Amino acid sequence: MGNSVSAQKSGEQNKSASQYSAIIKSESFQELLRRKKSFILPSSIFFFVFYFSLPILTSYFTVLNTKAFGAISWAWVFAFAQFIMTWGLCILYTRRAKEFDVLVEKIKQETGGKNS
């Protein structure tokens, strides 16, 4: 009895592995990866450059030490802009994720996957 259960599990794993191979080789899946990569890579680079600009500029340069308006310096304006940048990237990603979800549904339909 134990051998039949393990043989059944092995057969299911082989079936899953072949389905997975078919999915990753499909044109739709490759398109999904291209689109995700074309969004995530540049936005991540932009995020890190923008994020680390504040500590670098405040630590090694004096460009942000001047007053922007009133008692507020450019360092505070830049720090506040990081909140805006983070929310902006979150909104952009949420919009893009909807496009990614459409592609995922297309892949599921093409490969006979279960609908969520």
Side-chain angles (χ1 to χ4, degrees):
M1 181 161 185
N3 287 338
S4 65
V5 172
S6 65
Q8 186 179 10
K9 282 185 178 181
S10 177
E12 290 175 6
Q13 287 176 344
N14 287 340
K15 184 179 176 184
S16 295
S18 66
Q19 287 176 335
Y20 180 74
S21 294
I23 290 171
I24 61 172
K25 290 177 183 173
S26 71
E27 184 62 34
S28 298
F29 186 76
Q30 296 301 320
E31 177 67 22
L32 174 66
L33 291 182
R34 271 192 302 273
R35 286 189 182 187
K36 287 181 83 171
K37 187 177 178 181
S38 70
F39 175 74
I40 291 172
L41 185 62
S43 61
S44 296
I45 291 170
F46 170 75
F47 173 82
F48 283 115
V49 168
F50 196 86
Y51 179 79
F52 285 111
S53 293
L54 180 62
I56 291 171
L57 289 174
T58 56
S59 297
Y60 300 107
F61 302 99
T62 59
V63 68
L64 296 178
N65 293 345
T66 58
K67 290 184 179 183
F69 48 90
I72 306 294
S73 68
W74 285 108
W76 285 103
V77 172
F78 196 93
F80 183 71
Q82 289 192 339
F83 287 101
I84 296 169
M85 182 268 306
T86 303
W87 278 96
L89 283 178
C90 288
I91 291 169
L92 284 174
Y93 181 77
T94 303
R95 290 182 181 167
R96 285 292 180 104
K98 290 178 185 174
E99 295 175 18
F100 301 151
D101 289 345
V102 170
L103 279 173
V104 168
E105 290 300 321
K106 181 181 174 187
I107 293 167
K108 287 165 66 176
Q109 288 176 355
E110 289 174 357
T111 58
K114 295 178 182 174
N115 288 330
S116 55

